[in-house]
Amino acid sequence: MRELTRHGLSLAALALAAAPLGCVGDLGSGPAAPEGFECVGGACVELAASSSRFPRLSEEQWENTVRDLLRLETRSGLTATFPPDAPSGLFDNNGAELSVSGDLRLEYQRAAERLAEQVTSDTAALMRILPSGLPASGEARVQGFVERFGARVYRRTLSSSEVATYTALFARGTELYPDLDPFVAGVRLSLEAMLQSPHFVYRAELAPHVEGAPSTLLTAHELASRLSYALWGTMPDDDLFEAAASGALDSSEGLGVEVDRMLEDPRAEDMLVRYHEQLLSVRTYGDLSRSSTLFPAFSPEARTAMGDEVRLFVRDVFEEGGGVRELLTARYTYANEALAEIYGLDGVSGPEMRRVSLEGSRRGGLLTMPGFLAANSSSTESDPIHRGVFVNHRILCAPLPAPPMLVEPLPAEDPSMPRTMRQRVTLHTGPGTCGASCHATMINPIGFAFEQFDAVGAFRERDRNGLEIDAADAYAFRGQVRSYEDALELSAILAEQRMTHSCYAEHLLQFVHGRAPAQSDEVLLRRLTRASLNDSTSLRGLVRVLVTSETFRQRSTRELDELPSLEME
Amino acid sequence: MPRLDRRRFLLGLGGVAVALPFLESIHSPPRASAGPDRFRFAFFVRAGNGVAQRQRGWVDGVEQDIEPERFWPRELGRISSDSFRGADSDRATSELGAFADRISLVRGVNRPFNTPSCGHSDSIVQLLTSAQIVSGSANDAAALDKSIDWRIAEQLNPPGRDPMTLMAGPRDAYIRENLSWRGARERTPAERSPLNQYMRMMGITSAPPDIQERVITRQNSVNDLVRDELQALVSRRDLGVVDRRRLTQHMEAIRDTEISLLSCESTHADFMSRLGEISNVEANDVRVDVVERHMEVLALAAACNYTHAGTLQVGEGNDQTQYQIGSTRLPRFHWISHRIYSDGAEGETIPDAATLHHQVDRLQLSMFRHLLTRLDMHESPYGGSMLDDGVCVWMNDLSNGPPHGGNNVPWILAGSAGGRLRTGQYVDAGGVHYNRMLNTIGTAVGCTNDSGGALEDFGDAGLTRGRVEALVAG
């Protein structure tokens, strides 16, 4: 199944929305199965998208998994020397894109040896990883360790041949670590191997294909792993292993109970924060620089606070049961003294971030936060084009064509004839220019709404030349034109658009499922969009929809394929 | 001449030999290298954002120079140290004047495929692949075939030894590493830390021999187990092509270990200490230092016969480094290349930005000179210096500043790859695509086609095949 680009999927969604559909729910009735469904004898089921059966753990997942497997208090930090995961797409957890190079294999080896030494050199650390009730000595002790600790490493029950292999390796510990207690030596050698095993490094999904079937149900342990990596970014905990072993995950009710438990865990909140960090490119805030002459308030502390603001705000929305609307319109945020200076807030002192009200201001939600505004500005001026492009891409998933290569720079400001940034951009890219098709209709109308915020995100009514800012404009949301006076109004309109909610759903699926969206996700995405738009489902609820869906419990039997290529110059 | 298993590598003026305790693969015998046994290598250093070369454009209906030539020498043909000290001293390439007779400056090289999305993203992925691409902005662009460093490593390195992939730049960037591709859509992660790369290369250090033997036995026992597990997975009949390929690559990356020579002398610690002096290798202010330390590791890799191929990406895809020229910290290089204080099309004009771009070009080439100097410090056992054993390539993924064009992209080759490349010249390749340069370089270091002849078919099959004859020694 070919992966869809964001634009391709949006267009597909449009086409699908316009077509008469059949089978279930509000999809109407018709003779053919819609894309993403398989219909047999009148009953239709959602189809799983093609995905790798061996998604490799990302650096983040590896660190978390090692911490939890070895019951360490903190993450090991050993990935600091790993070759960084190759970038791919918007999110860092697309396991199908992550491979094991020669260098990474060496790092796995070094890390496994260090961790094995660390754990077996410390009696307390060793005791923490030993399964409870292990026989005191003899072969049963060894076999018990291999079977039960191995099951946590492999995230499933080991086969008898795997147990035999590790038991044999365990026995060689005495020879290879002659100075250690034989049991400790065996544990150390086994750990070295287990931490390099493909069953540890990859999240293997080995349930065999059913001949001719488009998809295969995951085993309970595979589903448990999918859940834990989707919701926590780490291996299953003991309760989840137990649920898998007991068959509790086999029913929708049992799955729902586990999902609800997991979503209450702080690690789920951490996962949602990571999602928004990557969606909004928050990590780039740390690299912002501004003209110190023009923006003396822009300090390293303010830069750090911009990222912290987003993280704390997202946590709040998640904890308080908010959804996409709250993300875009909430009239509060977090600030410390450095950030309050940009906000123009009085009474906020010191480095500690605290919740502050935005009532009475022209701000609300993520898009009026200084981080987004500053990250999409130059060092001296606001940048309506980049702000407009970002919102079109990341918030609306609008089908924006690629920019031409030969972009004429914006003409320099003419001191004899001061113009606002809006006037300059309009002259350069607005109606009647060669950039009119995209800029005038899609980019500029969004970008201009943020013109009341300067290059660090501070509010202004006039620019540096004393000219009044005009932030009013109009945008056609799937053909329906909506007007707004400024960014606050635009945010409120965005929060009610199907485009916004479907775009959020698409990105969330990409992150939670750890793969690129595909055409077969169409039905699930529509369900998710409806939940967010019509039912104001919370962020927690949206994630729940994703991980309790039929497609999440299945693996497609179709092969991932290649993408098309380009013309020669 | 017999191939040396190792050489002694002198580090700096006060340097003493670093013995070479790296681990060799014995899992399966290395494939025979083509041609004589001389150890040849190709290192690729990539800069971004184009260079400050002549630009033509229309002003008031008249075509004229918008920016003057500041990069290339004035005349095609022979180049010399004298000419770079004299008439061409105002050109950025004069930074390599001391090596004039050992380099080839090559203009007339074009990017093969158009760039419908972001020019930076779409261009860098073609540089060493000359392959068709999946177009995209940021890190979405991808090459649809392997890059030449992988081609060289797969044919000439011991099995399982990847090309060395290095980068000086931040992990979190709009466009990160995109230079080296193991295969279609498989970009190679780049190591940011010279120390990490060095440690990986050196492997077991100075443990007593009995301990070393035990370590090796232990590691190989574990390797056997992991390899068997991977083999069992790869053998499954219900596995898809993509997953099978990934697992096979993982399996091939497992190398058994032996100790070729183990006696680290004091400079091992000194070199490690030197590499470890930089605490945050991703920071802007140490960018040049990190580039140079990476180059020292590359030079060591050549001296140790460790790898036949390596890449070094300087800066992100759209290099945002704020370089220091004298006491002045410049605006971000990407902004300079746009001539405005912005990554986009609007922003205040940077005064005299083209001159600043030229200064950055000079700095970039002086960094490249550091690699050449390192290699040239040491005699080759085959005569000449280590620089003569291989070829070091400096290139940019764009041709120039504001247009960010794909024609006349600058390439500079240093070293003759053991007499197989012509040097001491400034040539016009005549509008060839990258593949012809890559064929030339690949063949020079010993790569062959399937028939054992010169490599002439690297890159996309739709491109004109062959090498650049002006670069091939007669």
Side-chain angles (χ1 to χ4, degrees):
Chain A
M1 172 75 52
R2 175 173 301 167
E3 293 172 4
L4 281 186
T5 64
R6 188 180 307 133
H7 301 158
L9 192 58
S10 300
L11 292 171
L14 283 170
L16 192 62
L21 301 169
C23 297
V24 294
D26 63 0
L27 296 174
S29 60
E35 187 72 49
F37 266 55
E38 176 85 355
C39 300
V40 179
C44 299
V45 294
E46 293 177 17
L47 284 180
S50 299
S51 61
S52 169
R53 298 175 69 183
F54 295 90
R56 203 208 78 199
L57 302 187
S58 68
E59 280 185 16
E60 173 92 15
Q61 292 168 340
W62 187 95
E63 283 280 11
N64 292 342
T65 305
V66 163
R67 177 198 60 204
D68 296 342
L69 174 69
L70 302 179
R71 305 192 194 282
L72 306 176
E73 288 183 1
T74 59
R75 305 202 308 178
S76 71
L78 291 173
T79 55
T81 62
F82 285 16
D85 289 340
S88 177
L90 194 51
F91 303 110
D92 65 4
N93 65 344
N94 186 344
E97 299 282 342
L98 302 174
S99 58
V100 177
S101 65
D103 285 349
L104 182 58
R105 206 283 305 177
L106 273 178
E107 293 296 340
Y108 281 156
Q109 182 183 58
R110 284 173 54 183
E113 290 173 356
R114 286 183 63 178
L115 289 164
E117 181 184 17
Q118 179 185 326
V119 167
T120 55
S121 304
D122 176 348
T123 305
L126 177 61
M127 293 308 292
R128 278 196 294 272
I129 71 161
L130 293 185
S132 60
L134 217 52
S137 61
E139 286 182 13
R141 181 173 170 80
V142 172
Q143 182 155 341
F145 171 78
V146 168
E147 284 178 351
R148 293 171 59 195
F149 182 75
R152 295 185 66 233
V153 177
Y154 279 43
R155 303 180 281 272
R156 62 168 170 80
T157 306
L158 270 62
S159 69
S160 56
S161 68
E162 286 166 342
V163 172
T165 300
Y166 272 102
T167 305
L169 183 75
F170 194 105
R172 295 197 65 198
T174 313
E175 167 202 342
L176 297 169
Y177 286 111
D179 302 332
L180 296 182
D181 166 82
F183 184 77
V184 173
V187 169
R188 181 163 169 179
L189 189 58
S190 302
L191 266 181
E192 289 176 1
M194 286 176 173
L195 293 175
Q196 295 180 64
S197 165
H199 298 282
F200 174 75
V201 170
Y202 301 97
R203 195 164 43 75
E205 294 180 346
L206 300 173
H209 291 341
V210 176
E211 196 67 39
S215 60
T216 299
L217 268 181
L218 300 176
T219 67
H221 279 92
E222 290 169 358
L223 178 57
S225 278
R226 265 202 189 181
L227 274 178
S228 63
Y229 283 98
L231 298 182
W232 293 344
T234 188
M235 61 180 284
D237 65 0
D238 292 343
D239 289 345
L240 186 53
F241 275 133
E242 175 57 32
S246 70
L249 297 182
D250 297 345
S251 69
S252 299
E253 296 74 22
L255 175 63
V257 168
E258 271 307 301
V259 167
D260 289 338
R261 178 184 73 84
M262 295 175 75
L263 284 170
E264 289 300 320
D265 190 288
R267 286 175 289 187
E269 194 173 302
D270 293 343
M271 183 275 293
L272 247 294
V273 170
R274 281 200 303 278
Y275 163 68
H276 288 93
E277 275 182 335
Q278 294 177 45
L279 177 67
L280 300 170
S281 299
V282 172
R283 291 174 189 173
T284 63
Y285 298 177
D287 199 31
L288 295 175
S289 66
R290 288 295 175 271
S291 162
S292 55
T293 312
L294 295 173
F295 303 106
F298 186 80
S299 60
E301 291 76 23
R303 205 167 53 193
T304 303
M306 287 175 182
D308 291 343
E309 177 188 25
V310 174
R311 295 181 193 99
L312 289 166
F313 175 73
V314 168
R315 281 187 192 282
D316 250 24
V317 172
F318 183 78
E319 285 173 7
E320 296 181 2
V324 173
R325 282 189 176 81
E326 285 70 29
L327 287 176
L328 291 169
T329 62
R331 301 302 303 280
Y332 70 90
T333 190
Y334 279 80
N336 60 7
E337 184 173 342
L339 201 55
E341 193 167 343
I342 290 174
Y343 268 108
L345 291 169
D346 295 327
V348 179
S349 60
E352 189 184 341
M353 300 289 287
R354 74 207 63 178
R355 183 166 163 158
V356 294
S357 171
L358 295 176
E359 295 293 346
S361 75
R362 300 305 297 166
R363 296 184 194 255
L366 287 166
L367 297 180
T368 58
M369 289 184 181
F372 158 72
L373 297 162
N376 291 283
S377 295
S378 73
S379 70
T380 56
E381 296 190 89
S382 62
D383 185 344
I385 292 179
H386 277 78
R387 290 170 176 178
V389 168
F390 190 95
V391 171
N392 271 284
H393 275 159
R394 301 283 176 92
I395 306 297
L396 292 170
C397 298
L400 210 56
M405 266 302 283
L406 298 173
V407 179
E408 285 289 321
L410 199 68
E413 221 175 333
D414 181 354
S416 66
M417 190 186 297
R419 291 191 173 100
T420 64
M421 175 59 78
R422 177 178 186 138
Q423 290 167 334
R424 290 167 61 201
V425 170
T426 302
L427 278 174
H428 194 56
T429 66
T433 72
C434 59
S437 60
C438 288
H439 284 268
T441 58
M442 298 180 74
I443 299 172
N444 296 354
I446 298 282
F448 290 155
F450 299 99
E451 270 298 277
Q452 286 176 324
F453 301 101
D454 65 16
V456 297
F459 185 78
R460 59 183 183 173
E461 289 179 326
R462 294 180 178 278
D463 69 9
R464 284 207 300 274
N465 296 317
L467 300 174
E468 193 171 355
I469 303 282
D470 175 11
D473 218 310
Y475 185 90
F477 296 92
R478 289 184 172 165
Q480 187 184 10
V481 178
R482 298 292 306 272
S483 302
Y484 38 85
E485 285 299 310
D486 60 10
L488 186 63
E489 284 193 17
L490 171 63
S491 290
I493 291 171
L494 287 170
E496 300 304 325
Q497 298 305 312
R498 174 170 291 276
M499 285 175 80
T500 306
H501 292 265
S502 69
C503 184
Y504 189 88
E506 188 184 322
H507 285 136
L508 190 64
L509 178 143
Q510 197 172 342
F511 185 77
V512 171
H513 285 201
R515 60 170 172 78
Q519 275 185 326
S520 55
D521 292 317
E522 201 61 65
V523 175
L524 175 59
L525 286 173
R526 290 180 63 197
R527 192 147 59 89
L528 206 59
T529 301
R530 249 193 337 262
S532 180
L533 176 66
N534 300 349
D535 307 333
S536 295
T537 300
S538 65
L539 302 184
R540 192 187 306 261
L542 295 178
V543 175
R544 193 182 193 283
V545 170
L546 278 171
V547 298
T548 55
S549 66
E550 283 300 315
T551 59
F552 192 77
R553 304 163 70 166
Q554 301 168 24
R555 175 176 57 74
S556 171
T557 54
R558 298 178 199 170
E559 178 62 76
L560 295 167
D561 69 5
E562 305 290 339
L563 289 175
S565 53
L566 297 174
E567 296 297 314
M568 199 187 316
E569 275 189 336
Chain B
M1 185 171 295
R3 171 181 167 178
L4 297 184
D5 288 331
R6 60 195 72 86
R7 303 175 205 169
R8 295 175 76 80
F9 180 77
L10 303 180
L11 180 74
L13 291 175
V16 189
V18 176
L20 305 173
F22 59 87
L23 310 174
E24 280 289 356
S25 168
I26 57 167
H27 178 52
S28 58
R31 277 175 253 177
S33 61
D37 284 334
R38 185 169 189 159
F39 187 91
R40 293 179 168 86
F41 58 87
F43 294 151
F44 301 86
V45 180
R46 169 271 177 194
N49 299 337
V51 299
Q53 60 174 307
R54 181 189 186 205
Q55 285 183 47
R56 300 282 287 172
W58 294 85
V59 177
D60 299 330
V62 180
E63 189 181 21
Q64 55 190 271
D65 280 0
I66 295 174
E67 289 186 0
E69 182 60 63
R70 289 184 169 102
F71 188 80
W72 302 106
R74 284 172 173 72
E75 302 291 340
L76 289 166
R78 298 300 303 173
I79 52 175
S80 68
S81 302
D82 287 344
S83 65
F84 280 124
R85 277 196 297 268
D88 287 328
S89 61
D90 58 343
R91 303 299 164 89
T93 41
S94 66
E95 291 294 327
L96 301 174
F99 293 96
D101 58 343
R102 320 271 287 282
I103 64 176
S104 282
L105 308 175
V106 190
R107 79 176 191 196
V109 182
N110 298 343
R111 181 182 60 209
F113 299 103
N114 60 23
T115 56
S117 289
C118 170
H120 293 279
S121 301
D122 286 353
S123 294
I124 189 172
V125 304
Q126 297 181 46
L127 199 49
L128 293 185
T129 63
S130 200
Q132 299 227 14
I133 62 171
V134 176
S135 179
S137 57
N139 298 296
D140 291 340
L144 288 175
D145 208 339
K146 72 181 61 169
S147 52
I148 190 71
D149 53 318
W150 274 99
R151 178 72 170 77
I152 294 169
E154 285 174 356
Q155 186 162 8
L156 303 179
N157 277 4
R161 183 164 299 161
D162 301 346
M164 200 171 274
T165 308
L166 307 171
M167 177 175 171
R171 279 192 190 204
D172 289 324
Y174 177 64
I175 307 171
R176 289 170 280 181
E177 65 267 51
N178 281 295
L179 188 59
S180 175
W181 295 81
R182 182 174 193 153
R185 296 194 291 164
E186 290 183 73
R187 58 168 63 72
T188 315
E191 178 58 68
R192 266 69 169 179
S193 163
L195 179 61
N196 286 350
Q197 185 61 53
Y198 173 74
M199 293 296 290
R200 213 172 281 136
M201 183 168 71
M202 298 303 277
I204 296 174
T205 54
S206 55
D210 59 327
I211 299 291
Q212 291 165 5
E213 288 301 327
R214 209 178 294 151
V215 168
I216 287 167
T217 307
R218 199 173 68 233
Q219 288 185 340
N220 290 348
S221 299
V222 169
N223 286 348
D224 286 342
L225 187 152
V226 174
R227 193 182 290 116
D228 287 347
E229 287 189 325
L230 282 162
Q231 183 61 58
L233 292 173
V234 169
S235 302
R236 289 174 67 106
R237 291 168 58 189
D238 62 351
L239 209 59
V241 173
V242 176
D243 281 336
R244 188 185 307 281
R245 187 170 66 227
R246 293 170 68 230
L247 294 172
T248 302
Q249 286 173 354
H250 184 170
M251 190 161 60
E252 289 173 349
I254 298 174
R255 299 186 270 125
D256 277 356
T257 51
E258 68 168 359
I259 300 168
S260 315
L261 172 65
L262 289 165
S263 62
C264 271
E265 299 174 16
S266 60
T267 49
H268 173 55
D270 291 347
F271 192 50
M272 278 184 59
S273 168
R274 176 174 163 76
L275 295 177
E277 283 170 359
I278 304 170
S279 58
N280 178 8
V281 294
E282 298 180 32
N284 177 90
D285 292 347
V286 296
R287 189 67 33 84
V288 175
D289 291 333
V290 171
V291 168
E292 293 185 351
R293 295 301 88 75
H294 274 321
M295 288 173 167
E296 289 160 20
V297 172
L298 281 171
L300 180 60
C304 298
N305 295 2
Y306 181 78
T307 181
H308 291 266
T311 59
L312 170 54
Q313 179 176 325
V314 179
E316 315 93 302
N318 55 349
D319 187 358
Q320 299 277 10
T321 309
Q322 289 188 260
Y323 290 105
Q324 185 96 11
I325 303 291
S327 59
T328 306
R329 193 184 197 198
L330 302 186
R332 294 173 183 230
F333 182 31
H334 186 231
W335 294 357
I336 290 172
S337 77
H338 281 208
R339 313 295 189 246
I340 53 177
Y341 287 101
S342 171
D343 294 317
E346 78 273 22
E348 286 189 1
T349 301
I350 298 175
D352 210 11
T355 302
L356 299 183
H357 196 149
H358 168 70
Q359 290 176 344
V360 175
D361 288 344
R362 281 187 172 276
L363 179 62
Q364 298 272 3
L365 290 176
S366 73
M367 287 191 267
F368 184 57
R369 189 177 62 216
H370 185 78
L371 174 61
L372 310 190
T373 302
R374 280 287 166 188
L375 290 165
D376 200 41
M377 282 170 63
H378 311 291
E379 287 185 9
S380 164
Y382 311 103
S385 77
M386 273 168 44
L387 175 58
D388 303 308
D389 288 350
V391 53
C392 298
V393 185
W394 185 93
M395 70 263 175
N396 205 300
D397 42 33
L398 297 169
S399 64
N400 45 19
H404 282 4
N407 289 338
N408 204 24
V409 176
W411 286 64
I412 299 173
L413 276 57
S416 67
R420 289 175 174 169
L421 293 173
R422 196 175 291 170
T423 58
Q425 56 179 352
Y426 169 33
V427 299
D428 188 333
V432 299
H433 290 127
Y434 294 163
N435 66 312
R436 302 274 296 275
M437 295 297 291
L438 300 175
N439 281 330
T440 306
I441 294 161
T443 299
V445 298
C447 280
T448 56
N449 61 23
D450 291 343
S451 311
L455 180 67
E456 300 207 322
D457 57 357
F458 187 79
D460 186 72
L463 302 174
T464 304
R465 295 183 175 194
R467 292 177 285 168
V468 179
E469 293 304 326
L471 297 174
V472 179

